C-alpha cells in the first residue's frame, strides 16, 4: 500500500500518539523526516542521529535485525544527572555530608556498562554494588579510585568475605554488609585470620512496604536484611568482640521501581532513625545507604502506577536529603555520607531493541468489498441479517448481545449438523462485519467503554516481529511490564492499522498486547501497513535494565546482535563493540549438543542416501553445505541469504 502524506497528520500527532516526549526524557524525539532520533550528548539536537539510519547502516555492513543498540553517552548523561541532582540538593539545604553513588552490577552486568560507569563515574567517585562473588571479582578489577566504594551485599561464604577483605588491603574502599545474622561470626573470624580490619554494614529490614511490582524487599517477610532484634544482636556481638568501631554503614533497600515518593520519604525516615540508634549505641557509622528504587517513567504518565513514578530525580534527591537532615538535627548526630544504589535509573535509557516486521495477519479490513451472499445460504443467516438491519447508534449494546447469541446458535446448529460448513463460514464473516460496524459507531466518541475496547482488541491485526520476547523482553512476559514500543520511521504518515505484536517463538505467550498510549493502558498498538519494498522497523525503548540477563533460550532463539554507538569529541558517530549474536551452533551447544557431532550424523545419513541411490554425490554436497551454513547462521529470521 502506498503511504501518502495526510493533510491532517503531523509528526506532532505521532509524538502525542506514542507519548515519546513524555517517556523519552529528552533522549528520544521524532525528527522532521518522521524518524525517531536519539540525542547522544547533553540531550542536544547537535548530537542526534536517526535510528533508521543506524539500522540501515548496520544492514549495509551485513549486520541483521534484530539488533540491540547501546548508547554509552546516555549512560554518561545519567551518571552526571544523578550525581549533580544530589549535589544540588545537598547544596540547597546546606547538608554537611556528601553523596556517593554505587551501581548495582546485577541490573546490567555487561562489561561495557561496568567499564563505562567506573570510567565516566570516576569524577563523581561512583562505585559498584555487588551481590555475589562473580560480581565482586568483576568490580575489583574495574574500580580504580580509593574514594569510590564497593558495597558487598548478598549471601557470603568465606571466599566472598576473603575476597572483599583482601580488596581492603589493596586500598579498595569495601563495605561488607551483614544480610543475615549468621554472617557476623564468619566476617569477624575471617578478619582475625587475615588480620584485616573490615568495614561492616548492616542491612535492615524496613517495615515500609512500598507499592509497585518489585517491592518485596520491604516488610516483615522480606527475605533480606535484619529485623530490629537481629540488629541489636549484631551490635552486641560486635561490642563483645571489641569490633564496634568497624560498624560504618546502615543499608536498606525498599525494592525496585518505587512509583510513589511517599514510600521513599517514609523509608528514609525509618532508616535514619535506625542510623541514629546505631550511633547512640557507640558505632562510628558515617555511611547511610538508601538502596535502589529510583523509578523510570516507562509509560510517560508521571503517575504512581507501577510503570511510572510521581516524582522527578530532583524531588527524589531533595526529599531524601531533607528527610535525613531533619532526623539528624532532631537526634543531634552528624550528617552521614549518603550512598544510593540506583541501577534502573542509570541504565534503562541505554539500550534500544530494533526488530523488523516479518508478516501481518489482518484480522478485519474495513475497506474490503462486501460480497453478495448466495441466495441458498440466506435462510441460515436470517437472525444475523435482522440484527444488521436494525443496528443504529442508539442500540449498539442490544445488537452486540443479540449478535453473540445468534452466533452461538449457529455454532450449535453446526454441531447438530443442521448448519453446514459454508453457511457457518458466511455467518462468521457476517458476524465480524457487524462487530466492525458497531465498533465504528462507538469509536467516534471520546470515551471508549471497556467493552468497546475489547472489540477493538478483537478486531486488531497481528504483526509478527523478528524477536523473542523471552530472550529480549523477559519482564513483558513475566510481570506484564510496559515498555514504550513504536515504529522508528514513517511517523509523518498516519498509522492506519491497530495491532498486537507476536514474536517468532511458537509460544502463545510470546505476544505483546499491552501498550502505553494516550489514555490508560491500551490493548492495541497503532501501526502502519508495512511498506511493500522496505523493512518496517519497530523499536522497543528503555530496555537497558534487567532485560538482558533475565532472558532465556526459549525455542533456542539466542542473543541478538549488539552494537554500540558513540558520539565522539569531534562530533562523529562511531559504531563499535559489534557483537554477533548467538549462532545456531552456539545455542545448541548451550543445551549440550555438539555441533561437530550433529554434522557428522548428517554426513553419515547423506552418505547412506547416496549408497541407496536416493541422491547424487553432488546433491549430498549441497545438503551438507546448507546444514553447516545453518549451524553458523543467526537464530532469528534472516531475510536475505548470504552466499
Ligand atoms: C536490585 C537492587 C538494587 C537496584 O535497584 P534499582 O531499583 O534498579 O535502582 C539496589 N540495591 C539492591 C540491594 C538490589 O538488590
Amino acid at each position: 500500500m502506498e503511504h501518502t502524506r495526510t493533510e491532517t497528520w503531523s509528526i506532532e500527532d505521532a509524538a502525542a500518539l506514542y507519548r515519546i516526549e513524555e517517556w523519552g526524557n529528552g533522549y528520544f524525539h521524532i525528527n522532521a523526516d518522521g524518524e525517531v532520533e536519539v540525542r547522544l550528548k547533553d540531550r542536544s539536537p547537535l548530537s542526534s542521529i536517526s535510528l533508521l539510519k543506524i539500522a540501515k547502516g548496520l544492514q549495509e555492513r551485513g549486520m541483521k535485525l534484530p539488533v540491540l543498540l547501546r548508547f554509552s553517552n546516555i549512560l554518561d548523561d545519567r551518571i552526571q544527572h544523578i550525581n549533580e541532582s544530589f549535589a544540588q540538593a545537598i547544596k540547597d539545604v546546606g547538608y554537611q555530608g556528601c553523596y556517593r553513588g554505587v551501581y548495582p552490577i546485577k541490573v546490567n552486568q555487561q562489561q561495557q556498562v561496568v567499564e563505562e560507569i567506573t570510567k565516566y563515574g570516576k569524577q563523581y567517585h561512583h562505585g559498584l554494588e555487588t551481590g555475589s562473588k562473580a560480581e565482586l571479582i568483576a568490580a575489583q578489577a574495574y574500580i580504580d579510585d580509593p574514594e569510590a566504594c564497593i558495597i558487598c551485599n548478598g549471601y557470603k561464604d568465606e571466599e566472598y568475605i576473603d575476597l572483599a577483605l583482601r580488596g581492603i588491603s589493596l586500598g579498595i574502599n569495601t563495605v561488607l554488609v551483614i544480610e543475615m545474622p549468621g554472617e557476623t561470626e564468619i566476617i569477624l573470624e575471617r578478619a582475625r585470620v587475615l588480620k584485616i580490619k573490615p568495614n561492616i554494614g548492616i542491612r535492615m529490614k524496613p517495615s515500609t512496604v512500598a507499592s509497585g511490582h518489585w517491592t518485596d524487599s520491604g516488610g516483615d517477610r522480606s527475605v533480606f536484611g535484619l529485623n530490629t532484634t537481629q540488629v541489636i544482636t549484631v551490635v552486641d556481638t560486635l561490642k563483645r568482640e571489641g569490633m564496634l568501631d568497624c560498624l560504618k554503614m546502615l543499608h536498606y533497600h525498599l525494592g525496585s521501581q518505587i512509583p510513589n515518593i511517599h514510600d521513599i520519604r517514609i523509608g528514609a525516615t525509618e532508616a535514619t532513625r535506625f542510623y541514629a540508634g546505631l550511633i547512640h549505641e557507640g558505632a562510628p557509622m558515617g555511611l547511610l545507604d538508601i538502596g535502589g528504587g529510583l523509578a523510570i517513567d516507562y509509560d510517560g504518565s508521571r503517575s504512581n502506577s507501577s510503570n511510572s513514578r510521581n516524582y522527578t530525580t530532583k524531588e527524589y534527591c531533595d526529599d531524601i536529603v531533607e528527610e535525613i537532615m531533619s532526623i539528624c538535627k532532631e537526634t543531634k548526630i552528624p550528617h552521614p555520607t549518603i550512598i544510593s544504589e540506583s541501577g534502573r535509573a542509570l541504565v534503562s535509557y541505554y539500550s534500544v531493541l530494533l526488530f523488523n516486521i516479518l508478516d501481518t495477519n489482518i484480522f478485519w479490513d474495513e475497506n474490503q468489498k462486501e460480497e453478495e451472499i448466495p441466495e441458498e445460504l440466506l435462510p441460515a443467516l436470517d437472525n444475523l441479517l435482522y440484527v444488521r438491519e436494525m443496528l443504529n447508534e442508539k442500540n449498539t449494546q442490544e445488537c452486540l448481545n443479540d449478535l453473540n447469541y445468534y452466533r452461538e446458535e449457529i455454532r450449535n446448529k453446526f454441531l447438530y449438523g443442521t448448519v453446514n460448513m459454508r453457511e457457518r463460514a458466511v455467518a462468521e464473516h457476517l458476524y465480524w462485519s457487524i462487530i466492525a460496524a458497531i465498533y465504528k459507531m462507538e469509536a467516534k466518541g471520546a470515551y471508549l467503554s471497556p467493552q468497546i475496547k475489547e472489540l477493538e482488541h478483537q478486531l486488531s491485526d497481528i504483526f509478527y516481529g523478528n524477536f523473542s520476547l523471552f530472550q529480549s523482553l523477559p519482564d513483558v512476559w513475566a510481570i506484564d511490564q510496559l515498555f514504550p514500543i513504536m515504529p522508528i520511521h514513517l511517523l509523518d504518515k498516519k498509522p492506519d492499522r491497530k495491532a498486537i505484536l507476536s514474536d517468532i517463538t511458537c509460544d502463545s505467550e510470546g505476544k505483546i498486547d499491552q501498550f502505553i498510549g494516550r489514555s490508560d493502558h491500551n490493548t492495541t498498538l497503532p501501526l502502519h501497513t508495512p511498506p511493500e519494498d522496505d523493512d518496517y522497523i519497530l523499536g522497543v525503548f528503555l530496555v537497558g535494565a534487567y532485560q538482558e540477563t533475565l532472558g532465556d533460550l526459549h525455542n533456542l532463539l539466542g542473543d541478538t546482535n549488539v552494537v554500540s554507538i558513540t558520539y565522539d569529541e569531534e562530533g562523529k558517530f562511531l559504531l563499535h563493540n559489534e557483537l554477533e549474536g548467538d549462532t545456531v551452533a552456539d545455542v545448541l551447544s548451550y543445551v549440550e549438543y555438539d555441533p561437530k557431532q550433529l554434522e557428522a550424523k548428517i554426513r553419515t545419513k547423506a552418505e547412506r542416501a547416496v549408497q541407496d541411490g536416493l541422491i547424487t554425490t553432488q546433491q549430498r554436497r549441497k545438503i551438507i553445505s546448507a546444514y553447516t551454513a545453518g549451524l553458523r547462521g543467526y537464530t532469528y529470521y534472516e531475510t536475505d541469504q548470504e552466499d
Side-chain angles (χ1 to χ4, degrees):
M1 189 170 129
E2 255 304 281
H3 289 278
T4 43
R5 262 167 220 272
T6 21
E7 290 297 322
T8 51
W9 186 259
S10 68
I11 56 169
E12 284 75 25
D13 294 315
L17 181 65
Y18 297 108
R19 298 186 84 141
I20 187 169
E21 294 299 323
E22 284 95 334
W23 55 256
N25 202 2
Y27 300 115
F28 301 101
H29 295 273
I30 301 176
N31 69 17
D33 297 330
E35 295 165 9
V36 174
E37 65 175 29
V38 53
R39 293 187 180 166
L40 290 180
K41 198 152 171 73
D42 304 327
R43 307 181 215 197
S44 147
L46 292 177
S47 69
S48 73
I49 179 165
S50 148
L51 297 183
L52 184 71
K53 299 225 162 63
I54 296 175
K56 294 279 171 198
L58 290 174
Q59 283 171 322
E60 279 163 23
R61 288 164 176 79
M63 187 173 264
K64 292 175 177 155
L65 297 174
V67 62
L68 187 77
L69 304 180
R70 296 186 174 137
F71 306 110
S72 44
N73 298 94
I74 292 187
L75 213 47
D76 297 350
D77 197 75
R78 299 307 296 161
I79 295 168
Q80 182 181 345
H81 179 64
I82 190 162
N83 279 283
E84 291 187 356
S85 301
F86 264 111
Q88 191 60 48
I90 283 172
K91 194 163 155 229
D92 286 348
V93 295
Y95 187 81
Q96 281 142 28
C98 63
Y99 169 74
R100 289 281 183 269
V102 291
Y103 167 70
I105 296 185
K106 72 152 195 269
V107 182
N108 184 328
Q109 297 106 324
Q110 299 294 324
Q111 178 271 342
Q112 274 179 57
V113 173
V114 171
E115 178 176 307
E116 190 67 24
I117 287 176
T118 46
K119 195 175 84 187
Y120 185 84
K122 196 166 175 179
Q123 59 189 307
Y124 302 108
H125 310 298
H126 212 97
L128 296 168
E129 184 265 357
T130 67
S132 67
K133 282 183 277 192
E135 290 181 359
L136 176 58
I137 283 171
Q140 288 182 325
Y142 279 92
I143 281 283
D144 193 15
D145 172 7
E147 288 205 44
C149 309
I150 294 184
I151 306 292
C152 300
N153 290 324
Y155 296 113
K156 296 167 209 67
D157 60 6
E158 265 185 37
E159 196 181 3
Y160 190 165
I161 293 166
D162 285 6
L163 278 167
L165 290 171
R166 293 208 159 95
I168 293 177
S169 59
L170 268 182
I172 304 173
N173 190 355
T174 312
V175 182
L176 274 159
V177 179
I178 297 174
E179 300 239 15
M180 298 195 306
E183 284 175 351
T184 324
E185 302 290 349
I186 320 179
I187 292 173
L188 294 181
E189 163 70 16
R190 294 314 300 166
R192 257 193 307 271
V193 172
L194 299 183
K195 300 194 174 58
I196 298 167
K197 203 162 176 170
N199 301 311
I200 294 178
I202 290 181
R203 175 163 180 175
M204 62 170 265
K205 208 180 263 199
S207 56
T208 314
V209 183
S211 60
H213 267 317
W214 296 270
T215 49
D216 285 348
S217 305
D220 292 334
R221 295 293 301 162
S222 129
V223 293
F224 295 110
L226 308 181
N227 63 30
T228 322
T229 321
Q230 292 165 329
V231 170
I232 298 287
T233 309
V234 171
V235 169
D236 289 344
T237 309
L238 292 175
K239 276 185 182 170
R240 198 175 56 236
E241 303 284 331
M243 298 283 273
L244 192 62
D245 62 331
C246 296
L247 184 54
K248 304 280 179 57
M249 189 178 91
L250 178 75
H251 168 50
Y252 71 99
H253 174 63
L254 291 177
S256 196
Q257 183 67 13
I258 298 172
N260 196 340
I261 188 77
H262 178 77
D263 297 330
I264 288 165
R265 279 196 98 113
I266 307 250
T269 307
E270 187 183 6
T272 316
R273 291 273 175 209
F274 267 92
Y275 180 88
L278 291 169
I279 294 220
H280 291 141
E281 288 287 332
M285 302 306 284
L287 307 170
L288 176 55
D289 179 348
I290 64 171
L294 176 54
I296 286 286
D297 192 3
Y298 290 101
D299 67 9
S301 68
R302 293 166 202 189
S303 70
N304 62 2
S305 87
S306 57
N307 291 290
S308 186
R309 60 177 197 182
N310 64 2
Y311 54 91
T312 60
T313 310
K314 178 178 178 341
E315 266 177 271
Y316 175 86
C317 299
D318 287 348
D319 286 9
I320 294 269
V321 172
E322 278 170 26
E323 213 63 47
I324 295 176
M325 190 159 142
S326 85
I327 308 270
C328 286
K329 185 170 176 203
E330 199 190 309
T331 52
K332 302 192 175 59
I333 56 167
H335 296 171
T337 294
I338 301 171
I339 294 178
S340 85
E341 304 178 342
S342 275
R344 186 188 295 278
L346 232 50
V347 297
S348 289
Y349 297 99
Y350 168 67
S351 323
V352 175
L353 175 73
L354 299 185
F355 63 85
N356 50 318
I357 294 297
L358 296 170
D359 204 354
T360 60
N361 179 350
I362 306 286
F363 191 82
W364 185 260
D365 185 355
E366 61 176 289
N367 299 319
Q368 71 188 341
K369 274 207 273 307
E370 277 302 322
E371 280 173 30
E372 190 92 25
I373 299 172
E375 192 92 28
E376 69 274 18
L377 299 181
L378 285 174
L381 304 173
D382 239 10
N383 289 328
L384 288 175
L385 288 168
Y386 181 70
V387 175
R388 184 166 78 176
E389 207 170 298
M390 297 310 292
L391 175 66
N392 65 51
E393 309 213 340
K394 295 207 181 66
N395 67 3
T396 49
Q397 183 63 57
E398 190 185 333
C399 288
L400 190 58
N401 299 342
D402 291 352
L403 262 184
N404 285 325
Y405 179 82
Y406 292 132
R407 179 167 75 156
E408 196 55 38
E409 187 179 70
I410 285 178
R411 287 180 169 179
N412 283 332
K413 284 185 176 165
F414 179 73
L415 292 182
Y416 290 111
T418 52
V419 156
N420 67 30
M421 194 168 75
R422 230 164 240 287
E423 287 165 333
R424 178 171 160 168
V426 178
E428 299 275 349
H429 186 82
L430 187 57
Y431 169 87
W432 285 111
S433 78
I434 306 170
I435 291 282
I438 292 177
Y439 174 70
K440 209 167 166 187
M441 285 176 181
E442 288 288 325
K444 279 190 213 136
Y447 169 76
L448 298 188
S449 70
Q451 206 171 6
I452 297 302
K453 278 199 162 179
E454 179 54 30
L455 291 188
E456 176 176 291
H457 186 66
Q458 287 177 5
L459 290 166
S460 66
D461 305 336
I462 303 172
F463 275 46
Y464 296 90
N466 195 11
F467 72 105
S468 157
L469 194 71
F470 308 93
Q471 173 62 241
S472 297
L473 303 167
D475 280 346
V476 174
W477 169 68
I479 48 171
D480 292 328
Q481 196 191 331
L482 296 181
F483 289 102
I485 303 176
M486 65 185 286
I488 60 162
H489 57 140
L490 298 177
L491 293 161
D492 51 351
K493 283 134 197 153
K494 189 174 179 174
D496 55 338
R497 309 298 317 168
K498 287 200 161 92
I500 67 159
L501 295 173
S502 168
D503 72 4
I504 60 167
T505 65
C506 35
D507 190 316
S508 59
E509 295 274 308
K511 65 175 196 297
I512 307 180
D513 57 5
Q514 295 279 333
F515 304 94
I516 68 170
R518 245 189 295 207
S519 57
D520 231 356
H521 301 165
N522 300 295
T523 55
T524 61
L525 179 68
L527 290 172
H528 305 84
T529 303
E532 260 162 27
D533 46 0
D534 202 2
D535 279 332
Y536 185 50
I537 303 176
L538 306 193
V540 188
F541 295 81
L542 277 50
V543 297
Y546 298 105
Q547 303 314 294
E548 287 194 49
T549 36
L550 293 177
D552 72 10
L553 286 173
H554 208 57
N555 282 112
L556 295 184
L557 291 162
D559 273 348
T560 62
N561 291 326
V562 177
V563 68
S564 299
I565 290 99
T566 308
Y567 182 77
D568 74 2
E569 251 79 286
E570 291 148 36
K572 288 208 193 72
F573 295 96
L574 294 180
L575 289 185
H576 58 104
N577 288 43
E578 282 177 54
L579 302 172
E580 292 266 345
D582 288 324
T583 62
V584 170
D586 290 338
V587 297
L588 284 172
S589 55
Y590 298 154
V591 284
E592 287 161 21
Y593 291 89
D594 177 354
K596 284 219 167 63
Q597 227 170 53
L598 294 175
E599 206 183 310
K601 280 178 192 285
I602 286 298
R603 282 181 189 281
T604 314
K605 225 169 250 170
E607 186 53 32
R608 207 169 296 137
V610 172
Q611 299 303 335
D612 295 348
L614 296 171
I615 55 172
T616 64
T617 48
Q618 199 64 14
Q619 284 168 321
R620 178 180 186 269
R621 201 147 100 200
K622 286 217 169 105
I623 288 169
I624 288 168
S625 91
Y627 191 84
T628 51
L631 277 173
R632 281 195 308 273
Y634 199 17
T635 57
Y636 292 89
Y637 192 96
E638 299 178 279
T639 22
D640 48 356
Q641 287 296 316
E642 269 170 286
D643 28 43

